[in-house]
Amino acid sequence: MTVFTERHLLRCYPGGLRVMSDNYDPSPAWSVGAQMAALNFQANDKPTWLNRGKFAANGGCGFIRKPRYLIDPSVPAPAGPSRALYVTIVAGSGWDNFKDADLFDAPDTYIRVTVAGNMNDSASHTTSTFNDHVRTGPRAQPYFNETFEFQIVEPELALLMFTAYDMDTTSQHDFLAQHCIPVSLLRDGVRILPLYDEEGKYVGGEKQPSACLVVMMKYK
């Protein structure tokens, strides 16, 4: 398929049987060099978040140049991990926005860190669960200080996604917020990542501080 996309345009789109307007994972399409990966934007699901994160690399204009090895057959594709990425989830802030996420208590918050965007780098880690049984104020802000390692094979295609959830023991875990960014844009050091809702809007407003994650990135 990569040989085909070197000289031809390839458009992928959700199958006609997806009557609920859900989406497929666009990572395989991007991995083989597909020029267009169409999605149902009304779904506001994980594939949509990945798509927003991917095109943030070029200001959200809708176009990103493919890696050289997906265009020029003389350039070999990466054969193994090119670098190790260490991600430390330090803490969260602005969790007062989620005070009503759980009916009976403060949210049982955990963070899932995922590398996606291509087939070679797919991996995921999850933090422990935080709950100080306080809905607002300083004690409501979660802290983790947990570090995860990812071996990155294709940094030009890889995306790093953070998703915050409220753990529920009797039903599906409740989604709180997300942030997705291309691995190619990451820099070493401590970063404050704004969190977005399912529709890609900032969590927070005039009456509440914006929700964010404090993370530390390190390449080796």
Side-chain angles (χ1 to χ4, degrees), residues 1 7 15 17 27 43 54 56 58 64 66 72 80 86 88 90 95-96 110 114 132 164 170 173 196 203 205 207 214:
M1 188 60 71
R7 295 181 175 273
L17 296 179
S27 300
K54 183 176 182 66
N58 199 13
I64 293 177
K66 293 194 294 185
D72 188 348
Y86 295 87
T88 301
V90 180
W95 244 247
D96 294 29
Y110 69 90
T114 304
D132 210 8
T170 59
H173 298 181
Y196 305 93
V203 176
K207 297 183 179 180
V214 181

Side-chain angles (χ1 to χ4, degrees), residues 3-214:
V3 175
F4 177 85
T5 58
E6 289 173 355
R7 295 181 175 273
H8 302 83
L9 292 176
L10 176 63
R11 177 179 181 263
C12 304
Y13 52 90
L17 296 179
R18 293 180 180 268
V19 295
M20 301 302 293
S21 294
D22 58 333
N23 282 306
Y24 63 99
D25 182 0
S27 300
W30 294 332
S31 293
V32 298
Q35 289 82 0
M36 293 173 281
L39 297 172
N40 291 312
F41 271 37
Q42 69 270 28
N44 288 318
D45 51 9
K46 182 179 177 180
T48 309
W49 308 335
L50 291 173
N51 188 77
R52 290 195 188 106
K54 183 176 182 66
F55 288 97
N58 199 13
C61 73
F63 171 81
I64 293 177
R65 185 177 177 83
K66 293 194 294 185
R68 183 81 179 188
Y69 56 84
L70 290 178
I71 302 173
D72 188 348
S74 66
V75 178
S82 60
R83 60 198 315 183
L85 172 63
Y86 295 87
V87 180
T88 301
I89 309 296
V90 180
S93 181
W95 244 247
D96 294 29
N97 291 283
F98 310 122
K99 60 184 175 61
D100 297 323
D102 193 295
L103 181 61
F104 301 104
D105 195 3
D108 300 299
T109 300
Y110 69 90
I111 309 298
R112 179 172 295 148
V113 191
T114 304
V115 172
N118 65 81
M119 300 303 293
N120 291 324
D121 293 321
S122 180
S124 182
H125 296 287
T126 302
T127 67
S128 58
T129 302
F130 173 88
N131 189 347
D132 210 8
H133 305 289
V134 177
R135 292 180 184 266
T136 60
R139 288 177 54 194
Q141 315 311 311
Y143 56 88
F144 305 98
N145 200 29
E146 298 180 32
T147 301
F148 307 106
E149 177 184 354
F150 296 93
Q151 296 293 325
I152 306 297
V153 178
E154 299 182 85
E156 293 180 89
L157 289 177
L159 303 169
L160 186 63
M161 170 173 279
F162 301 85
T163 44
Y165 292 93
D166 169 30
M167 178 176 286
D168 208 329
T169 57
T170 59
S171 62
Q172 184 177 0
H173 298 181
D174 297 320
F175 168 81
L176 297 179
Q178 53 87 19
H179 182 100
C180 185
I181 186 172
V183 168
S184 60
L185 297 185
L186 299 179
R187 299 295 181 267
D188 286 356
V190 177
R191 298 289 182 264
I192 297 177
L193 306 179
L195 293 176
Y196 305 93
D197 63 13
E198 292 179 331
E199 298 180 355
K201 300 177 182 178
Y202 285 113
V203 176
E206 297 180 357
K207 297 183 179 180
Q208 295 286 359
S210 297
C212 61
L213 280 179
V214 181

